[in-house]
């Protein structure tokens, strides 16, 4: 019997391919990691914990996930790689056993007005196919129902040579569903011309009031020296032709002041340079101008549905695609369930599954036409998850960044089930998380710390959840911490009356918000909390609103520039040394000429990954050598930027370097728990929780009597939440009113007054279900929040 056909039982030696059950990390040094070496089990749920800034994201996102993405990109041809983002290899000695990583993070989804919940998932595409098959009257292919596709009709001559024959005439038609008036945006913008210029003045007198159009700038010279208008004549005296040339002239190349430039009317110029950009990315003074000058109104032609008349007229069972997208997703799922059409049965099954995933993940209260840019970070992350729930991939590494952000305790249970389901399909699930309810379901826990920033970056504990409870680490000690309900809440000093609030899903809510105390607005995700707080208490006179919108900052921005701390520091250096402040800015005169003040040189290696290497001339200090010869209190400017907030607070507090203006900002940064950040650390390296608190620190200086905070505990460790509560108490004790939209039970328990919305989400919410003290809520247990809070405080 030949060896090849032998069938007697073999000793069951493990197959070599089954021995790769670990992801091994050796010597990780990204950001603040200190030579971290760990082994993470595959096909298990591993949770990474630790205080904010301890290095969790550096290990999970910037090391493991980043290297996995880089290796996948390298499998493409050099040609394709040229079009992909270039990723540098992370600072780590060995990474073994990686699998394909799918990152589901909290980055907000694109703020493009044509991006909606439906287009970001496959739901909209499936609905379009459904309507193109079943809709009556039939108006065309799926593109005829797409608000991103314009209708095009073209005819022209083309020459086709077949032997001696020539055919010449051809027409081309494409039916799209885009509303021709608003171009699929749902809103039309009107410019208020009185905000663009003062018509009683001439150009030479500074008539144009747009930011960046100062009297001696190029923008102004373009109009003054174009020859189209008289620069000494008041605008109201222009002839019809002059006004047309000034406001609406089409782009024309011409020589102005000896330089070839493009002249165009003021209105198209402003629309291109300011109105076509994402408003959130603008500098504050330009954003304020856009708010003043532009009025957005619902498109009168499509009534905000973004769709052409034909697409709105085609219906299935008296429902058009615009109606379907406006329905709450849980209702849309029921409507699709009622459609029985054998010709599109597979499509209906797939659409049903996608819509049910929305409901299951706790997003059934959204509608498909909701603009993607208006979703909170937690909602955006859950929308991205939907794509992966039905995926047939296994043996993939899923990386989640606080998937419970923005979730009520009632919804966290659902999220836990989804994470376990992904794991049970045979995937490795890595989760960065602070909530004890989610840490509790982990198969393996990695606790980083012991502190934050330079005080963190080491592995303090690795093992099971039970082991973590017994471990002497910050997370272990605080794991079973439970806040207690206040015995005697503060007495309000007044009330803020909200009457008939009806934004989004609110049902004419009347509520009196007590002032001078800590008020927490709570309720399940989608119950109308943000609509009530932001819709009825607009930021403005006396109200400081700190929302969840991300901080925009380049690699050059750092805590010192963002908080305005650098101004008093530059002035102090300039005063002591008798030179001008601009020398002490790495973005201005003092910048190292080799790296332009970036501190690193970015080398583009064409087809390979680009490399960032420290600048050899300034050794990463970002300043010219001559600038570093100027000292303040024995330190040069680069040494000051390398200090942590706590060190700098001491340095600027006394002696020659005493600078009260800098001291005030540093104290605020320290108050919000950012004492470990270095002043010159690029904003791009901060975690979500750190950015949120940096924003809070900057707003604490605003002159306001009412502070409105939207989930300030996002990204905060249990230990940091205590510090945040102490900060909120200090704000209230100093005479401020603090209103917090929050799900964290420790914050609810600490409140003086609770406003609970619900009972459900979407159209099942929007009502006031409880208002009173936390103690009354626990005693009544009349709402979902009450039940969870009672369980939390052990009542």
């Amino acid at each position: 019997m030949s060896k090849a056909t032998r069938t007697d039982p073999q000793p069951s030696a493990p197959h070599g391919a089954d021995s790769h059950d670990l992801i091994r990390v050796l010597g990780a040094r990204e950001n603040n990691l200190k030579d971290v070496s760990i082994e993470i089990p595959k096909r298990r749920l591993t949770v990474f914990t630790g205080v904010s800034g301890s290095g969790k994201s550096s290990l999970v996102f910037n090391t493991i996930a980043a290297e996995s993405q880089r290796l996948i990109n390298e499998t493409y041809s050099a040609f394709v790689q040229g079009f992909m983002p270039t990723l540098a290899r992370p600072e780590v000695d060995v990474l073994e056993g990686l699998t394909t990583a799918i990152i589901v993070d909290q980055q907000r989804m694109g703020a493009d007005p044509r991006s909606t919940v439906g287009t970001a998932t496959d739901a909209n595409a499936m609905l379009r196919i459904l309507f193109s098959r079943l809709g009556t009257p039939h108006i065309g292919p799926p593109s005829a129902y797409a608000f991103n596709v314009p209708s095009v009709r073209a005819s022209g001559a083309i020459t086709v040579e077949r032997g001696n024959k020539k055919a010449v005439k051809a027409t081309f038609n494409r039916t799209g569903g885009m509303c021709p008036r608003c171009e699929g945006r749902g809103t039309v913008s009107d410019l208020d011309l009185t905000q663009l210029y003062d018509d009683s003045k001439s150009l030479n007198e500074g008539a144009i009031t747009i930011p960046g159009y100062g009297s001696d700038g190029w923008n102004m010279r373009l109009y003054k020296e174009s020859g189209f208008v008289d620069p000494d004549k008041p605008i109201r005296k222009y002839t019809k032709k002059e006004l047309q040339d000034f406001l609406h002239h089409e782009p024309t190349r011409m020589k102005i002041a000896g330089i070839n430039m493009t002249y165009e009317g003021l209105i198209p110029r402003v629309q291109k340079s300011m109105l076509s950009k994402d408003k959130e990315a603008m500098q504050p003074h330009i954003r304020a101008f856009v708010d003043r000058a532009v009025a957005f109104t619902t498109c009168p032609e499509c009534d905000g549905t973004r769709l052409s008349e034909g697409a709105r007229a085609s219906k299935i069972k008296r429902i058009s695609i615009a109606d379907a997208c406006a329905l709450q997703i849980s209702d849309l799922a029921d409507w699709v369930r009622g459609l029985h059409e054998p010709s599109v049965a597979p499509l209906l099954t797939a659409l049903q599954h996608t819509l049910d995933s929305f409901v299951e993940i706790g997003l059934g209260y959204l509608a498909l036409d909701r603009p993607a840019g208006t979703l909170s970070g937690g909602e955006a992350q859950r929308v991205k998850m939907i794509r992966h729930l039905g995926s047939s991939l296994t043996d993939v590494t899923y990386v989640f960044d606080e998937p419970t952000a923005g979730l009520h305790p009632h919804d966290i249970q659902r999220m836990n089930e989804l994470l376990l389901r992904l794991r049970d399909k045979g995937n490795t699930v890595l989760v960065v998380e602070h909530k004890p309810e989610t840490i509790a379901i982990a198969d393996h826990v990695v606790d980083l710390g012991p502190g934050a920033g330079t005080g963190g970056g080491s592995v303090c504990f690795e093992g099971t959840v039970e082991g973590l409870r017994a471990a002497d680490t910050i997370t272990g000690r605080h794991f079973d911490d439970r806040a207690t309900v206040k015995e005697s809440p503060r007495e309000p000093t007044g009330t803020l009356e909200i009457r008939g609030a009806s934004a989004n899903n609110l049902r004419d809510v009347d509520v009196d918000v007590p002032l001078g105390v800590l008020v927490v607005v709570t309720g399940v995700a989608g119950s109308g909390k943000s609509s009530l707080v932001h819709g009825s208490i607009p930021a403005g006179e006396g109200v400081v609103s700190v929302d969840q919108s991300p901080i925009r900052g380049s690699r050059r921005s750092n805590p010192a520039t963002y908080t305005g701390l650098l101004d008093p520091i530059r002035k102090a250096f300039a005063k002591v040394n008798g030179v001008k402040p601009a020398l002490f800015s790495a973005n201005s005169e003092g910048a190292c000429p080799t790296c332009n003040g970036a501190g690193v040189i970015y080398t583009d290696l064409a087809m390979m990954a680009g490399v960032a290497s420290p600048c050899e001339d300034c050794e990463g200090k970002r300043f010219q050598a001559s600038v570093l010869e100027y000292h303040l209190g024995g330190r040069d400017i680069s040494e000051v930027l390398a200090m942590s907030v706590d060190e700098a607070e001491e340095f600027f507090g006394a002696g020659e370097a005493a600078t009260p203006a800098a001291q005030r900002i540093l104290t605020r940064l320290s108050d919000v728990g950012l004492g470990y950040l270095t002043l010159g650390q690029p904003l791009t390296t901060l975690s979500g929780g750190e950015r949120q608190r940096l924003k809070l620190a900057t707003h604490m200086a605003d002159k306001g009597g009412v502070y409105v905070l939207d989930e300030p505990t996002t990204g905060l460790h249990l230990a940091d939440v205590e510090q945040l509560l102490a900060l909120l108490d200090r704000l209230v004790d100093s005479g401020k009113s603090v209103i917090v939209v929050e799900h964290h039970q420790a914050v609810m328990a600490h409140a003086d007054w609770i406003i609970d919305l619900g009972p459900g989400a979407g159209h099942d919410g929007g009502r006031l279900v409880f208002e009173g003290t936390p103690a009354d809520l626990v005693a009544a247990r009349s709402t979902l929040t009450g039940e969870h809070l009672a369980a939390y405080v052990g009542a």
Side-chain angles (χ1 to χ4, degrees):
M1 188 169 173
S2 75
K3 196 173 178 185
T5 56
R6 215 174 60 205
T7 54
D8 54 327
Q10 294 287 310
S12 57
H15 195 290
D18 294 332
S19 60
H20 304 282
D21 278 341
L22 294 170
I23 295 175
R24 290 180 59 231
V25 181
L26 290 181
R29 295 178 299 280
E30 269 301 303
N31 298 335
N32 65 336
L33 296 178
K34 294 174 183 160
D35 248 356
V36 168
S37 299
I38 55 164
E39 293 186 339
I40 301 166
K42 283 192 190 171
R43 293 177 284 285
R44 296 290 181 273
L45 175 64
T46 301
V47 173
F48 293 79
T49 64
V51 295
S52 182
S54 59
K56 305 180 295 297
S57 298
S58 301
L59 177 60
V60 180
F61 289 94
N62 304 357
T63 304
I64 298 170
E67 179 64 354
S68 170
Q69 295 242 263
R70 191 182 72 83
L71 293 174
I72 291 167
N73 286 5
E74 284 193 353
T75 62
Y76 295 109
S77 68
F79 174 73
V80 174
Q81 284 183 48
F83 296 99
M84 300 176 94
T86 52
L87 303 165
R89 189 180 186 282
E91 283 276 314
V92 59
D93 295 333
V94 179
L95 269 175
E96 284 180 351
L98 290 179
T99 68
T100 308
I102 294 176
I103 299 173
V104 190
D105 60 15
Q106 289 196 30
Q107 289 295 323
R108 292 295 181 96
M109 297 170 88
D112 185 283
R114 292 201 194 95
S115 175
T116 64
V117 169
T119 59
T121 55
D122 294 333
N124 203 284
M126 291 192 270
L127 267 180
R128 294 200 301 264
I129 299 170
L130 187 68
F131 272 86
S132 72
R133 298 285 174 81
L134 304 182
T136 52
H138 175 74
I139 58 162
S143 65
Y145 297 89
F147 56 76
N148 287 335
V149 181
S151 291
V152 179
R153 286 183 185 77
S155 59
I158 56 167
T159 310
V160 182
E161 294 192 10
R162 289 206 189 103
N164 310 335
K165 296 175 188 168
K166 290 186 178 180
V168 197
K169 196 70 182 151
T171 51
F172 166 76
N173 275 343
R174 179 181 67 193
T175 309
M178 179 186 283
C179 163
R181 171 81 191 273
C182 64
E183 297 187 340
R185 287 190 168 86
T187 56
V188 286
S189 60
D190 288 328
L191 269 175
D192 178 358
L193 295 183
T194 59
Q195 297 292 339
L196 302 189
Y197 57 83
D198 178 350
D199 68 355
S200 67
K201 293 180 179 173
S202 68
L203 291 182
N204 277 335
E205 290 167 340
I208 301 180
T209 53
I210 303 166
Y213 284 73
S215 55
D216 51 355
W218 274 109
N219 283 328
M220 202 60 158
R221 288 184 71 176
L222 187 68
Y223 291 97
K224 281 186 195 171
E225 302 180 22
S226 63
F228 285 112
V229 292
D230 178 352
D232 292 314
K233 189 174 172 184
I235 293 177
R236 64 169 60 145
K237 293 190 175 166
Y238 282 4
T239 62
K240 213 172 199 176
K241 178 164 187 337
E242 279 180 317
L243 198 60
Q244 175 68 21
D245 285 341
F246 175 53
L247 292 179
H248 301 287
H249 201 286
E250 65 279 357
T252 311
R253 291 290 286 171
M254 58 194 296
K255 248 194 172 66
I256 294 175
I259 297 170
N260 283 328
M261 294 178 80
T262 301
Y263 175 88
E264 66 180 323
L266 191 63
I267 289 176
R269 193 175 163 86
V270 168
Q271 280 176 325
K272 278 181 199 161
S273 64
M274 295 181 185
L275 308 189
S276 60
K277 294 187 177 151
D278 173 14
K279 207 168 83 176
E280 289 305 310
M282 294 174 178
Q283 293 166 291
H285 67 289
I286 295 181
R287 191 184 315 160
F289 161 73
V290 172
D291 285 339
R292 281 197 317 272
V294 186
F296 288 98
T297 50
T298 303
C299 172
E301 204 158 296
C302 65
D303 201 20
T305 60
R306 307 151 180 262
L307 289 158
S308 64
E309 196 180 344
R312 299 196 307 275
S314 177
K315 299 188 175 182
I316 303 174
K317 287 191 172 177
R318 296 198 299 283
I319 289 231
S320 71
I321 190 164
D323 302 332
C325 289
L327 280 176
Q328 187 168 311
I329 290 174
S330 52
D331 296 343
L332 181 60
D334 293 338
W335 179 74
V336 171
R337 213 172 270 118
L339 297 177
H340 300 290
E341 183 59 51
S343 63
V344 287
L347 176 68
L348 285 171
T349 310
L351 179 58
Q352 188 65 60
H353 178 267
T354 301
L355 297 173
D356 286 342
S357 299
F358 271 103
V359 178
E360 187 182 358
I361 209 165
L363 291 177
Y365 59 88
L366 294 177
L368 292 182
D369 63 3
R370 167 93 175 253
T374 63
L375 299 178
S376 70
E379 286 172 333
Q381 187 172 22
R382 299 201 289 286
V383 166
K384 292 176 196 168
M385 260 184 105
I386 285 170
R387 282 220 194 84
H388 306 300
L389 289 177
S391 160
S392 12
L393 289 171
T394 66
D395 247 337
V396 173
T397 301
Y398 283 98
V399 186
F400 291 97
D401 182 12
E402 282 190 66
T404 59
L407 284 186
H408 187 269
H410 170 69
D411 300 313
I412 290 178
Q413 188 55 44
R414 274 188 191 159
M415 179 55 73
N416 284 351
E417 285 162 14
L418 291 170
L419 294 173
L420 293 171
R421 213 168 79 200
L422 282 173
R423 176 202 67 184
D424 294 344
K425 269 171 61 177
N427 297 309
T428 307
V429 182
L430 308 181
V431 184
V432 172
E433 188 52 88
H434 295 291
K435 297 265 172 73
E437 300 97 317
T438 299
I439 300 173
I441 63 163
D443 301 308
H444 188 74
V445 180
V446 177
D447 189 21
L448 288 156
T454 49
S458 310
V459 174
C460 304
F461 171 81
E462 218 185 325
T464 62
V465 178
E466 287 313 311
L468 175 69
R469 275 198 163 99
D472 188 26
T473 69
I474 293 186
T475 310
R477 289 196 296 273
H478 287 273
F479 194 80
D480 291 311
D481 275 8
R482 293 293 179 263
T484 51
V485 175
K486 274 188 186 164
E487 292 295 316
S488 49
R490 300 180 185 93
E491 285 300 316
T493 55
T495 54
L496 177 74
E497 291 186 2
I498 295 176
R499 294 289 175 267
S502 56
N504 299 332
N505 65 333
L506 294 176
R507 312 268 181 101
D508 275 342
V509 173
D510 295 339
V511 63
D512 292 334
V513 181
L515 296 174
V517 295
L518 175 59
V519 178
V520 170
V521 180
T522 179
V524 296
S527 60
K529 303 179 298 298
S530 296
S531 304
L532 177 69
V533 172
H534 295 303
S536 308
I537 313 171
E541 207 50 49
V543 177
V544 177
S545 183
V546 185
D547 60 10
Q548 292 248 323
S549 61
I551 284 179
R552 307 268 175 178
S554 68
R555 294 187 286 237
R556 289 175 174 275
S557 311
N558 54 42
T561 57
Y562 182 78
T563 56
L565 170 66
L566 208 53
D567 291 339
I569 292 179
R570 282 201 298 252
K571 284 176 186 153
F573 264 96
K575 192 175 172 189
V576 167
N577 294 290
V579 289
K580 52 184 181 180
L583 275 180
F584 302 100
S585 165
N587 296 331
S588 184
E589 291 183 26
C592 160
T594 314
C595 61
N596 287 333
V600 287
I601 306 240
Y602 295 94
T603 315
D604 182 11
L605 299 178
M607 294 304 181
M608 286 156 43
V611 175
S613 50
C615 170
E616 291 178 6
D617 283 7
C618 65
E619 296 173 352
K621 291 180 179 172
R622 303 173 59 188
F623 292 91
Q624 295 175 21
S626 58
V627 174
L628 301 181
E629 289 167 13
Y630 298 116
H631 288 81
L632 173 69
R635 302 286 185 97
D636 65 41
I637 183 75
S638 72
E639 288 172 329
V640 168
L641 288 175
M643 289 179 180
S644 70
V645 169
D646 288 342
E647 287 172 86
E649 195 178 356
E650 202 174 303
F651 177 72
F652 288 109
E656 186 202 355
T659 314
Q663 179 78 358
R664 282 195 294 275
I665 297 174
L666 289 162
T667 307
R668 289 201 294 273
L669 285 169
S670 187
D671 281 350
V672 294
L674 293 177
Y676 59 88
L677 279 190
T678 50
L679 304 185
Q681 185 177 341
L683 283 190
T684 46
T685 62
L686 300 188
S687 69
E690 287 168 338
R691 291 181 196 190
Q692 174 90 343
R693 286 181 309 181
L694 186 59
K695 212 166 168 185
L696 180 58
T698 21
H699 282 298
M700 276 171 61
D702 295 359
K703 298 278 179 283
V706 180
Y707 278 73
V708 177
L709 309 180
D710 196 348
E711 293 185 43
T713 59
T714 303
L716 285 192
H717 186 266
L718 297 161
D720 297 324
V721 172
E722 285 180 14
Q723 191 172 1
L724 179 79
L725 290 175
L727 173 71
L728 297 181
D729 278 344
R730 279 208 302 280
L731 278 173
V732 174
D733 293 339
S734 70
K736 311 279 189 195
S737 304
V738 180
I739 301 167
V740 184
V741 174
E742 191 52 87
H743 295 291
H744 202 294
Q745 287 128 313
V747 183
M748 290 182 204
H750 197 77
D752 298 303
W753 192 258
I754 282 191
I755 294 171
D756 193 11
L757 294 175
H763 59 50
D764 299 327
R767 297 188 182 87
L768 185 67
V769 289
F770 177 85
E771 52 179 327
T773 63
D776 293 343
L777 179 63
V778 167
R781 290 192 186 160
S782 54
T783 68
L784 280 171
T785 309
E787 286 171 27
H788 284 280
L789 188 58
Y792 173 80
V793 298

